[in-house]
Every structure is written in structure tokens, then in C-alpha cells.
Amino acid sequence: MADSRLGSYLAKWRGAGAAGPAALPARQILLAGLGGALALAVVAGLAAGTGLPCILGSLGASCVLVFGFPDVPFSQPRAVIGGHVVAAAIGVAAVQLFGPTWWSVALATGAAIMAMMALRIVHPPAGSNPVIAVTAAAHWDFVAVPAALGALLIVLVGLVYLNLVRPTRWPARW
């Protein structure tokens, strides 16, 4: 009995056999890369020019979604900004309450996932913000800079760039 359940469970690991993603047009790939580079140039340039620590690793992943897949729900401004802010705040709250422990990283990340889902602001790259906040023992200013500022700059670049290079509007929704 247990062997058949284990075998059935392990069979799931083979996957469902779905086809891989379709190849994207070269123009779409090029425009996505240029948009991401432009957005991070703005963020990194601001950091270099002002000394503000507005670079955050998760912002690179945000650029993949915003510029590579701008029409999906995860790439809409509400999700990008809201996801980064909420997840960063949960990470800071965890480190302030529990310290920079392995279990506070786990607790904060799980709580951020639940909060983003409940608030309908799921932005997968923001899921790394609690990890960054806890391991860096971040303070509340981390929520504003780099999380909120970086996300806002990506959205602003997205508004200008995506509406210049695409025939359709961005965002699909606020």
C-alpha cells in the first residue's frame, strides 16, 4: 500500500509532459532586453549620482517581467510596486521582531507570499525582498529605499518605454 502511494507520488516528479514555451520573436526579445537595461540604468544611475542605495537584486527580476512579459498580471504597476513594498515591509518587520535568523527568513517569506496573494499584488521577484531584508538586518528605510523607489522607477520607465515601442497600451490595469 505504502509502496504504491510512494510510486504514485514519485511519478509526479516526471512532470505532466506539457510542451515547452513557444519561441519569441527576435524583436520582442531585443526590446525586452533594452527596456530592462534602460530601467536598471535609471535605477543604478540614480544610485551612483545620489548615493541612495536604490539597487536591489529583485529589481532585475522585476525587469524580466515588466519588459519581457508586460501583459501578465505579475507585471502590472499595482503588483510591481505593491508587491515590493509589502514584501519588504514584512521582511523588515520580521527582522525587527525576531532578528536575522534562518527561521525569520522563512516566516517572512511565507507571510509575504500570503500577503501578496490576499492583496492581489503578487509580484514573484518581490518574494526575495524578505530574504534580503532579514539577511541584511534591514531597518524601515529599506521599504522606501530601495524597495519602493526602485519599483516605482521601473514602473515609470515602463510607462514611457513600453508605450513607445509597443502598439498596445501598458499597463493593462492599475
Side-chain angles (χ1 to χ4, degrees), residues 1 13-14 37 43 59 69 92 96-97 100 123:
M1 179 79 163
W13 289 21
R14 287 193 299 259
V43 175
L59 297 176
F69 303 93
V92 172
Q96 297 298 315
L97 291 170
H123 185 64

Side-chain angles (χ1 to χ4, degrees), residues 1-12:
M1 179 79 163
D3 285 342
S4 73
R5 283 196 310 240
L6 178 60
S8 182
Y9 170 71
L10 291 176
K12 291 180 177 181

Side-chain angles (χ1 to χ4, degrees), residues 40 43-44 47 53-63 84-85 88 125-126 128-133 136 142-143 145-151 154:
L40 284 188
V43 175
C54 51
I55 286 290
L56 191 59
S58 55
L59 297 176
S62 294
C63 287
H84 275 291
V85 169
S128 65
N129 289 358
V131 177
I132 297 166
F142 175 83
V143 177
V145 178
L149 179 60
I154 288 171

Side-chain angles (χ1 to χ4, degrees), residues 52-112:
L52 286 173
C54 51
I55 286 290
L56 191 59
S58 55
L59 297 176
S62 294
C63 287
V64 172
L65 288 177
V66 170
F67 298 98
F69 303 93
D71 298 317
V72 302
F74 299 149
S75 301
Q76 301 307 304
R78 174 183 160 147
V80 176
I81 297 167
H84 275 291
V85 169
V86 166
I90 289 171
V92 172
V95 78
Q96 297 298 315
L97 291 170
F98 308 119
T101 66
W102 65 267
W103 55 269
S104 61
V105 169
L107 179 67
T109 302

